[in-house]
Amino acid sequence: MTDSFLDEMLPQLASVAAHTHALGFRWIGREAERVRIGAPWREDLVGDADSGVLAGGLVTALLDHAGGLAIWARMGEFRPVATLDLRVDYMRAAAAGRELVAEARCYRLTSSIAFVRGWAFEDDPSDPVAAAQAAYMLTEPRGRSDAA
């Protein structure tokens, strides 16, 4: 695991993709192999105008992206990944007007599959908005395939 990748690239990977940039995702940090990213509360991200609650799709996208970052943190390198399975259990509505934080950890890594767990919350991970369990396929970067 290279510290330069973890310290320089992960923060960029948190927010430079077109959709993560549009959603306002930001890097918060990492602790060992746990990563944290945040999504701001914005009126255009609200799913219920009457309550001001963030859209469920935003919560899912945030947890999915945190999962990918957790895999790269565990591997210490960037390698394309694809979400195979993502289960999100919603436990309560996200508080209106508050930033939503996602924390994820890759708890098992094989040669082709990564398994991740994550949580979305405002301040306290023990009071989650949602929990996620996911599996990702690790793919070969273009040009590194054995078939040629």
Side-chain angles (χ1 to χ4, degrees):
M1 192 175 316
T2 62
D3 286 341
S4 64
F5 172 78
L6 295 175
D7 295 332
E8 296 173 22
M9 293 303 294
L10 283 179
Q12 294 179 38
L13 291 169
S15 60
V16 297
H19 74 288
T20 60
H21 181 73
L23 294 171
F25 290 2
R26 72 176 185 91
W27 176 253
I28 295 176
R30 69 176 175 92
E31 185 174 313
E33 295 174 349
R34 290 181 188 269
V35 300
R36 280 190 179 184
I37 60 174
W41 185 93
R42 290 192 331 227
E43 194 168 326
D44 63 322
L45 301 177
V46 167
D48 178 15
D50 291 336
S51 66
V53 171
L54 291 171
L58 174 76
V59 178
T60 299
L62 185 66
L63 285 164
D64 190 23
H65 197 62
L69 291 166
I71 295 166
W72 299 324
R74 171 110 183 221
M75 292 190 309
E77 66 177 352
F78 176 80
R79 185 172 161 189
V81 298
T83 307
L84 288 175
D85 180 57
L86 174 62
R87 176 190 167 109
V88 177
D89 293 319
Y90 290 90
M91 298 172 190
R92 63 176 176 83
R98 306 278 309 277
E99 178 182 44
L100 191 63
V101 174
E103 178 178 294
R105 178 178 168 262
C106 177
Y107 66 94
R108 177 133 173 92
L109 186 62
T110 72
S111 62
S112 59
I113 306 289
F115 300 92
V116 174
R117 289 191 179 112
W119 300 263
F121 53 90
E122 289 96 4
D123 296 316
D124 183 359
S126 69
D127 184 25
V129 168
Q133 172 81 33
Y136 298 80
M137 176 186 292
L138 306 176
T139 62
E140 287 292 326
R142 290 185 179 187
R144 288 183 52 186
S145 173
D146 291 332

